[in-house]
Amino acid sequence: MAAPLYKDISKKAENVLNDDYDYSRKLKIKTKTANGVTFTTEGAMAANKSILAKVGANFRVPQVGGLTISKLQATTAGRILVEGDIANAIVDNLKVSFKLEDGSRKTNAKQVGKIGLEYKQPAFTTNFEADITGKNVTGAAVSVVSGVTIGAHGAFNVDKSAVSDFGGALAFAGADYQVSVASKKSLKTVAANFYHKPCSSTIYAASIDYDVQTAANALTLGGRYTANSETTYAGKVNSDGFVSLACIQKVTPFLSLTTSAHIDAKHFEGDAHKFGLGLTIG
């Protein structure tokens, strides 16, 4: 088993519990040019009927070895976003990444400027990120020993000259499952989750978050079932009584429809329910 990045230790369980649940009304169109540039145009209407549209592209720059622009995007909120990375920068297996965002301040959005480093080897990974505008530096390291993944992370605030966060994680994976536990928010919370794929069509996962200070906890259980190559169903329920359902239907090779519902089972007569509909072309 290759060592993952720290943020990806529990990624499989998180994907099962979070992917494809979207309660906005969304239209997305993706096209790809002959030279490999992908254009994405999307618009979404939130529950409050506000509409946010985005137009973006991603592409490689062969003139700069290993440079990939993963996001070049403009939004109707007046924001410009640029994300990219350079693979095998300086030495093999070292990736340098950057993220920039600026534009209108009408939505109280702030400038974003981040530079990151990721270094991967089969048995260990390490990564660092400098948030230039937020004046925060984060770092993490992960190692895999005999199938057990061990990781640690920390953050330092330059303005306050103090450690702003730290924690660790431990995970064990088998052929069809993974179990992990991690401490967050300077050891103030503990999160545990598992992921299991009993067969090729079924996946389920669960997560529990425990607050050390208040002894409060939150449990989420969910799964996904792939009925065939065109249809996938997803569902989850949490300890607050919220039930979420989603269906991903591939109508044609270039058209997919995603429907999502969020139900407050404890207050079924209330108005906290949500419904989302997404259409993706391309």
Side-chain angles (χ1 to χ4, degrees):
M1 174 184 173
L5 293 172
Y6 186 86
K7 64 183 178 65
D8 295 333
I9 289 178
S10 58
K11 184 177 181 179
K12 288 184 177 180
E14 291 171 353
N15 287 350
V16 172
L17 297 175
N18 297 320
D19 281 2
D20 297 312
Y21 296 102
D22 189 342
Y23 309 111
S24 62
R25 283 71 164 173
K26 180 182 292 185
L27 172 65
K28 179 186 288 187
I29 301 173
K30 297 178 69 175
T31 58
K32 190 171 184 178
T33 66
N35 64 350
V37 179
T38 299
F39 292 101
T40 303
T41 305
E42 62 181 285
M45 182 173 68
N48 61 2
K49 296 186 179 180
S50 63
I51 296 177
L52 176 65
K54 307 173 184 177
V55 59
N58 65 76
F59 51 91
R60 296 189 72 252
V61 184
Q63 294 82 0
V64 181
L67 174 61
T68 299
I69 302 299
S70 55
K71 181 182 289 187
L72 176 59
Q73 186 180 85
T75 76
T76 52
R79 305 292 292 175
I80 302 294
L81 297 86
V82 182
E83 294 181 18
D85 61 74
I86 300 176
N88 297 315
I90 306 174
V91 297
D92 289 344
N93 303 315
L94 175 65
K95 182 168 76 173
V96 178
S97 61
F98 59 89
K99 180 178 181 180
L100 305 170
E101 181 180 343
D102 202 357
S104 172
R105 304 290 199 278
K106 291 182 179 179
T107 58
N108 296 321
K110 299 179 180 179
Q111 287 181 318
V112 175
K114 296 181 179 181
I115 299 175
L117 299 174
E118 293 179 6
Y119 183 69
K120 292 184 177 181
Q121 288 291 329
F124 75 93
T125 64
T126 184
N127 65 279
F128 297 91
E129 183 180 78
D131 185 345
I132 300 170
T133 54
K135 297 183 179 180
N136 207 49
V137 179
T138 60
V142 174
S143 180
V144 176
V145 181
S146 301
V148 178
T149 301
I150 304 170
H153 80 100
F156 183 82
N157 187 284
V158 178
D159 271 348
K160 298 179 180 179
S161 297
V163 175
S164 56
D165 191 15
F166 59 91
L170 185 67
F172 180 78
D176 59 352
Y177 72 95
Q178 183 186 55
V179 180
S180 67
V181 60
S183 60
K184 301 179 180 180
K185 300 179 181 178
S186 303
L187 308 183
K188 294 178 182 177
T189 63
V190 178
N193 62 55
F194 78 85
Y195 157 96
H196 184 210
K197 189 172 184 178
C199 62
S200 60
S201 61
T202 304
I203 310 170
Y204 72 97
S207 70
I208 184 168
D209 293 317
Y210 177 76
D211 190 306
V212 177
Q213 294 180 320
T214 64
N217 59 73
L219 173 68
T220 303
L221 174 66
R224 297 170 68 89
Y225 173 69
T226 303
N228 50 54
S229 59
E230 289 84 27
T231 308
T232 299
Y233 301 104
K236 64 179 179 179
V237 60
N238 67 25
S239 53
D240 291 326
F242 292 109
V243 178
S244 300
L245 304 170
C247 176
I248 305 94
Q249 179 68 49
K250 200 168 186 64
V251 183
T252 72
F254 304 101
L255 177 65
S256 62
L257 177 67
T258 301
T259 54
S260 305
H262 180 76
I263 303 166
D264 186 351
K266 293 173 66 176
H267 303 92
F268 199 77
E269 72 286 355
D271 58 358
H273 313 304
K274 301 176 185 178
F275 177 76
L277 183 66
L279 189 65
T280 301
I281 302 172

mmCIF file of all heavy atoms in Angstrom, residues 60-62 64-68 85-88:
data_model
loop_
_atom_site.group_PDB
_atom_site.id
_atom_site.type_symbol
_atom_site.label_atom_id
_atom_site.label_comp_id
_atom_site.label_asym_id
_atom_site.label_seq_id
_atom_site.Cartn_x
_atom_site.Cartn_y
_atom_site.Cartn_z
ATOM 1 N N ARG A 60 -2.711 21.816 -19.828
ATOM 2 C CA ARG A 60 -1.284 21.675 -19.571
ATOM 3 C C ARG A 60 -0.528 22.707 -20.392
ATOM 4 O O ARG A 60 -0.981 23.134 -21.453
ATOM 5 C CB ARG A 60 -0.796 20.272 -19.914
ATOM 6 C CG ARG A 60 -1.414 19.186 -19.053
ATOM 7 C CD ARG A 60 -0.745 17.836 -19.276
ATOM 8 N NE ARG A 60 0.589 17.807 -18.691
ATOM 9 C CZ ARG A 60 1.711 17.816 -19.389
ATOM 10 N NH1 ARG A 60 1.689 17.851 -20.713
ATOM 11 N NH2 ARG A 60 2.891 17.784 -18.793
ATOM 12 N N VAL A 61 0.639 23.095 -19.875
ATOM 13 C CA VAL A 61 1.494 24.053 -20.573
ATOM 14 C C VAL A 61 2.797 23.333 -20.903
ATOM 15 O O VAL A 61 3.724 23.292 -20.087
ATOM 16 C CB VAL A 61 1.766 25.302 -19.706
ATOM 17 C CG1 VAL A 61 2.568 26.335 -20.492
ATOM 18 C CG2 VAL A 61 0.457 25.906 -19.211
ATOM 19 N N PRO A 62 2.897 22.734 -22.090
ATOM 20 C CA PRO A 62 4.077 21.929 -22.423
ATOM 21 C C PRO A 62 5.366 22.736 -22.468
ATOM 22 O O PRO A 62 6.456 22.186 -22.302
ATOM 23 C CB PRO A 62 3.724 21.345 -23.799
ATOM 24 C CG PRO A 62 2.666 22.244 -24.349
ATOM 25 C CD PRO A 62 1.905 22.746 -23.173
ATOM 26 N N VAL A 64 6.356 24.765 -20.302
ATOM 27 C CA VAL A 64 6.897 24.762 -18.937
ATOM 28 C C VAL A 64 6.755 23.339 -18.423
ATOM 29 O O VAL A 64 5.647 22.886 -18.135
ATOM 30 C CB VAL A 64 6.146 25.750 -18.025
ATOM 31 C CG1 VAL A 64 6.746 25.743 -16.624
ATOM 32 C CG2 VAL A 64 6.174 27.150 -18.617
ATOM 33 N N GLY A 65 7.852 22.618 -18.326
ATOM 34 C CA GLY A 65 7.814 21.194 -18.028
ATOM 35 C C GLY A 65 6.992 20.838 -16.808
ATOM 36 O O GLY A 65 7.259 21.304 -15.706
ATOM 37 N N GLY A 66 5.951 20.013 -17.004
ATOM 38 C CA GLY A 66 5.153 19.529 -15.893
ATOM 39 C C GLY A 66 4.095 20.478 -15.376
ATOM 40 O O GLY A 66 3.385 20.148 -14.424
ATOM 41 N N LEU A 67 3.941 21.681 -15.961
ATOM 42 C CA LEU A 67 2.964 22.650 -15.453
ATOM 43 C C LEU A 67 1.561 22.291 -15.933
ATOM 44 O O LEU A 67 1.316 22.125 -17.126
ATOM 45 C CB LEU A 67 3.312 24.069 -15.909
ATOM 46 C CG LEU A 67 2.280 25.159 -15.566
ATOM 47 C CD1 LEU A 67 2.096 25.275 -14.057
ATOM 48 C CD2 LEU A 67 2.683 26.499 -16.166
ATOM 49 N N THR A 68 0.648 22.176 -14.981
ATOM 50 C CA THR A 68 -0.761 21.942 -15.275
ATOM 51 C C THR A 68 -1.590 23.024 -14.594
ATOM 52 O O THR A 68 -1.454 23.240 -13.388
ATOM 53 C CB THR A 68 -1.221 20.560 -14.768
ATOM 54 O OG1 THR A 68 -0.465 19.540 -15.422
ATOM 55 C CG2 THR A 68 -2.700 20.344 -15.044
ATOM 56 N N ASP A 85 -0.151 23.329 -10.762
ATOM 57 C CA ASP A 85 0.958 22.634 -10.116
ATOM 58 C C ASP A 85 2.004 22.250 -11.147
ATOM 59 O O ASP A 85 1.721 22.183 -12.352
ATOM 60 C CB ASP A 85 0.459 21.385 -9.372
ATOM 61 C CG ASP A 85 -0.199 20.378 -10.301
ATOM 62 O OD1 ASP A 85 0.517 19.697 -11.060
ATOM 63 O OD2 ASP A 85 -1.439 20.265 -10.270
ATOM 64 N N ILE A 86 3.196 22.021 -10.662
ATOM 65 C CA ILE A 86 4.308 21.556 -11.490
ATOM 66 C C ILE A 86 4.784 20.230 -10.912
ATOM 67 O O ILE A 86 5.224 20.171 -9.761
ATOM 68 C CB ILE A 86 5.464 22.567 -11.513
ATOM 69 C CG1 ILE A 86 4.986 23.906 -12.076
ATOM 70 C CG2 ILE A 86 6.628 22.030 -12.339
ATOM 71 C CD1 ILE A 86 6.044 24.992 -12.041
ATOM 72 N N ALA A 87 4.655 19.171 -11.692
ATOM 73 C CA ALA A 87 5.076 17.845 -11.244
ATOM 74 C C ALA A 87 6.581 17.675 -11.430
ATOM 75 O O ALA A 87 7.177 18.251 -12.350
ATOM 76 C CB ALA A 87 4.323 16.773 -12.023
ATOM 77 N N ASN A 88 7.179 16.880 -10.549
ATOM 78 C CA ASN A 88 8.617 16.589 -10.615
ATOM 79 C C ASN A 88 9.442 17.875 -10.703
ATOM 80 O O ASN A 88 10.364 18.002 -11.514
ATOM 81 C CB ASN A 88 8.926 15.675 -11.798
ATOM 82 C CG ASN A 88 8.246 14.329 -11.672
ATOM 83 O OD1 ASN A 88 8.256 13.715 -10.606
ATOM 84 N ND2 ASN A 88 7.634 13.870 -12.751
#
